[in-house]
Structures are given as C-alpha cells and as structure tokens.
Amino acid sequence: MERIETQLGTLHLEEGYSERRLKAELRGMELLCSIVNSTPVWSFNLSSDKPFLCSNDDGPTILIDIFGCIRKNCEDFDPHLSLYMSQRPVCVLKDEKSIDTPTTDSIISLVLLGMAGWPIESTPETLREKALKSGQYELQDITKMLPMDYEQFQRAVGLYESGVVMESISVLAQMARRWYVCRCWNFEKIQETLQPILERYQREEIERYIQTPEEASDVLFISV
C-alpha cells in the first residue's frame, strides 16, 4: 500500500497502480478544487479519510467519492464513477470518448452540469431524477464549456475584481475568438454564452473596450 499526499488528504493505492494515470488525476484534482471553491453549488466534505464532493443545490443530494473514483481508474482501469444520489449508489460511466482521460475530468463535467442547473438533455440518464428536481443556475450554457474555458472565465473574473477591467474583457474576447475558430461556434451561440458573464460589467466599461478592442473582430462577440 502506498500513501500519496493530495490537496484533499492522503490517498492510499495498492502496489501496481498506474503512475501515469495518477499524475493525470492529481493535475485534474487541482482544477477540480479551484472550480468547486469558486461556487456555492458544490462543496468538499473532508471530515473523514474519504473526501466527498457534495451538491448543495435543490433536489436529491449528490455525493462523489473522489478517492474511490481515482482508485478505480489507477488500480483497476474501471471507467465507473463512485457516486451516490440520496445516499444510494448510482451507476455513472465515463463517456466512451473519454475512457482514457482522468476520472477527475469526468467529475469536473458533473460539477459544471450542477452549476448549469442539471439540464436534462446533458445529464446522465441515471441522474435524471436530479435533473427533474433541480433549479437553473447562472451561466446556463456552461455545459458547453470545457475546463479550459472555465479556467479562462475565472481569470477574467479575477482581473475584473482586481480593477483591471479592460484586460478582463480582453480575456473574454480571446475565449470567444477561440470558440469561433477552434470549435466552429456561430456568433449567436457565442453571444448567448457570454451574455450572463458580460452582465457583471458596467455598460460604460464594455463600450470603452469596444472603442479600442484588442482585435478588431472582438466587436462581433462583445456587445452591450
């Protein structure tokens, strides 16, 4: 048995585990912690040696055994998540396209679903009850965002809160340009996704950025 110190406590793994998978899980855990600590919708329960991720929204409570998920992936290459709804185990399987990705990536996807209010079209079938009984939260289109998008969004918010407003809007514009070029999103979809984010800004701040944008094309995405 090997002990690995992590941000969420001591993880115990049996000998013969995949070191490559563990390194990926630990990187994913860093992003998971940063996202969870930025939202009231989720929280960590660290009262025992088995850290759980807990939902704090309406509907049945979701509990995710984070270390259990990591052990399944690193020791047994098992794609199932260790997840409970209303204290009952629920079968949630990683997407076939993500079978070799860290299990923490799949947990992050569930976190983003929760922040989006569990839209029924994106929520796993086994969590349908959660989707039907939960309310909708700010940033409705966050399920369309990748972890890298959310990280960039958090950076924009941090800059804004530090008073660096123009650079903050510039970060959002960079994200929008990437969506347009790399993900082939149309202008309407990008603007709809950015709208709840831009509502955090004053109208005069957005108008000032539009007058001197980082890229001329930014005015196609950033609007008042």
Side-chain angles (χ1 to χ4, degrees):
M1 183 74 69
E2 184 165 346
R3 295 162 51 95
I4 296 96
E5 298 301 326
T6 78
Q7 289 176 275
L8 299 177
T10 303
L11 169 65
H12 296 86
L13 291 176
E14 297 288 347
E15 292 184 4
Y17 68 87
S18 170
E19 293 188 9
R20 177 182 62 82
R21 291 190 177 217
L22 175 61
K23 288 180 181 178
E25 295 289 5
L26 295 179
R27 288 195 300 270
M29 189 185 295
E30 292 183 9
L31 178 57
L32 173 64
C33 290
S34 68
I35 294 175
V36 171
N37 290 333
S38 72
T39 174
V41 181
W42 295 90
S43 62
F44 292 114
N45 183 339
L46 306 178
S47 60
S48 69
D49 58 359
K50 181 184 287 188
F52 280 93
L53 179 59
C54 311
S55 64
N56 302 319
D57 52 5
D58 295 332
T61 300
I62 300 295
L63 295 175
I64 303 176
D65 179 356
I66 301 170
F67 283 0
C69 293
I70 293 176
R71 278 194 292 267
K72 282 185 176 182
N73 189 38
C74 294
E75 294 179 348
D76 305 320
F77 303 160
D78 186 342
H80 292 86
L81 299 183
S82 295
L83 185 145
Y84 303 83
M85 182 166 62
S86 296
Q87 299 186 342
R88 300 190 309 271
V90 176
C91 178
V92 176
L93 185 67
K94 291 168 63 177
D95 188 277
E96 291 182 359
K97 298 178 181 178
S98 306
I99 209 71
D100 289 324
T101 61
T103 191
T104 42
D105 282 7
S106 298
I107 297 175
I108 288 170
S109 295
L110 289 176
V111 167
L112 297 180
L113 278 174
M115 294 172 66
W118 302 99
I120 197 163
E121 69 277 3
S122 304
T123 301
E125 181 67 26
T126 50
L127 298 178
R128 184 180 180 86
E129 181 184 353
K130 179 67 174 177
L132 292 173
K133 294 185 178 180
S134 294
Q136 292 295 312
Y137 287 83
E138 183 184 14
L139 204 56
Q140 300 297 318
D141 288 323
I142 201 167
T143 50
K144 300 172 184 175
M145 299 171 71
L146 300 172
M148 69 174 67
D149 300 324
Y150 192 79
E151 221 175 354
Q152 204 164 13
F153 163 63
Q154 287 297 100
R155 178 168 169 252
V157 172
L159 287 169
Y160 183 77
E161 292 177 347
S162 299
V164 193
V165 178
M166 294 300 101
E167 186 173 345
S168 172
I169 299 177
S170 174
V171 170
L172 296 179
Q174 293 169 19
M175 184 165 60
R177 293 198 302 270
R178 178 163 52 77
W179 288 343
Y180 181 75
V181 174
C182 301
R183 302 181 67 183
C184 299
W185 285 13
N186 58 37
F187 296 132
E188 182 179 2
K189 183 175 182 179
I190 293 171
Q191 290 168 351
E192 288 179 354
T193 306
L194 285 179
Q195 182 181 358
I197 306 174
L198 290 173
E199 287 177 356
R200 298 167 176 262
Y201 298 79
Q202 299 295 322
R203 181 185 182 92
E204 309 81 64
E205 295 170 337
I206 298 175
E207 289 177 341
R208 191 160 73 250
Y209 180 81
I210 291 175
Q211 291 173 3
T212 55
E214 180 181 356
E215 297 283 346
S217 61
D218 288 354
V219 298
L220 299 172
F221 312 108
I222 305 296
S223 60
V224 293

